[in-house]
Amino acid sequence: MAEQGQDHRTAPTSRRAQRRETVAELRSQGRAGPELRDILPGLAGMVLVTAGPVIGLAWLFRVYGVGALLLGAVLLAAATLVGVPWRRAVVRRRSGRYTPAELAVLDDHGLAVAAERILRRDGWHVLPMPDDGRPRLYARDRRDRRLDVSFRPAEDGSGAGEPPGGPATLREPGGPADDRVIRVVVSRGTYSPTEIEWASRPGGDHLVDGRQLQQWASGTSLDTLGLLR
């Protein structure tokens, strides 16, 4: 009898240990769902966002009457109309998608941030490495392809007599010496015929002009654009 009682007491413990091991294995594989402590901050924030305006309107009605309640409701509606699209635009840009109007107002560093997000969207592991204060990105994908991404200001895209960096490249000095690195130059403007000719030679850079940049930022990958072939 004593042995049977001991078996009954140890069986639940064994099952709990097995369950913990299973959950740990699933988490190591990225297949387990989040715990309560992981979702609690987001849940609390959602409750505050939902209940906060209702509580505020109820307070206005109690303290100041119907007029204040109506005014608060109008202000809340206006804030919602402005805030929801703005929030969606922020989330969209963080996920690596930009409209042509958003691209047009970016400076060099803003364009680098956008390119970094776009590359991450397409599955690249990106490492920002500025070169003498100028934005620059290095990226690698699952196929072990490597990118060296530099940026050309739009006003410098046309009218340049000869591309800097020597024959068959628009790359500034100081980059990686590995020939397997794919060099990409991004600009919101256009490139001169001389730049395009230099880049088209063996070992030249892959040029992304303003039109291709808009396609890339809207969701088209560099492979689909034919720039990494």
Side-chain angles (χ1 to χ4, degrees):
M1 294 295 293
E3 292 180 356
Q4 292 179 353
Q6 185 177 2
D7 291 340
H8 284 295
R9 286 193 298 271
T10 57
T13 303
S14 178
R15 286 196 295 268
R16 285 196 297 269
Q18 186 177 9
R19 182 177 180 276
R20 285 197 298 268
E21 291 178 0
T22 302
V23 172
E25 182 178 356
L26 289 174
R27 283 182 182 157
S28 66
Q29 299 174 358
R31 296 163 55 190
E35 293 184 340
L36 178 60
R37 63 184 179 184
D38 297 324
I39 65 173
L40 191 58
L43 182 62
M46 184 174 63
V47 171
L48 288 177
V49 169
T50 304
V54 176
I55 295 174
L57 291 176
W59 179 81
L60 286 174
F61 174 72
R62 174 174 295 184
V63 176
Y64 298 104
V66 177
L69 175 62
L70 294 177
L71 179 60
V74 171
L75 293 177
L76 179 60
T80 302
L81 290 175
V82 174
V84 170
W86 176 83
R87 175 61 180 170
R88 288 177 178 174
V90 171
V91 172
R92 172 175 49 77
R93 289 193 295 269
R94 288 180 178 175
S95 66
R97 295 180 183 271
Y98 287 76
T99 65
E102 291 168 343
L103 292 173
V105 299
L106 296 176
D107 59 12
D108 291 348
H109 292 278
L111 183 58
V113 171
E116 180 180 351
R117 291 172 175 174
I118 295 170
L119 285 168
R120 295 186 191 279
R121 177 202 72 194
D122 293 340
W124 292 83
H125 176 73
V126 187
L127 181 63
M129 294 188 65
D131 185 11
D132 291 333
R134 299 184 63 178
R136 194 164 186 172
L137 305 174
Y138 292 96
R140 175 179 292 184
D141 69 354
R142 295 179 179 178
R143 295 161 58 183
D144 201 33
R145 295 183 299 177
R146 287 174 253 179
L147 298 183
D148 171 10
V149 185
S150 57
F151 300 89
R152 171 66 62 86
E155 59 272 15
D156 293 343
S158 60
E162 181 174 321
T169 178
L170 301 180
R171 185 166 58 97
E172 295 289 337
D178 192 340
D179 292 337
R180 293 174 299 175
V181 174
I182 303 172
R183 299 188 299 271
V184 178
V185 181
V186 179
S187 174
R188 290 187 292 106
T190 59
Y191 295 96
S192 69
T194 304
E195 291 173 322
I196 296 174
E197 180 182 358
W198 280 110
S200 65
R201 299 185 180 187
D205 290 0
H206 298 257
L207 306 183
V208 179
D209 60 18
R211 178 183 59 83
Q212 293 168 322
L213 175 61
Q214 292 179 8
Q215 294 176 300
W216 189 32
S218 67
T220 305
S221 68
L222 291 175
D223 291 290
T224 303
L225 289 173
L227 296 173
L228 299 186
R229 296 175 183 174

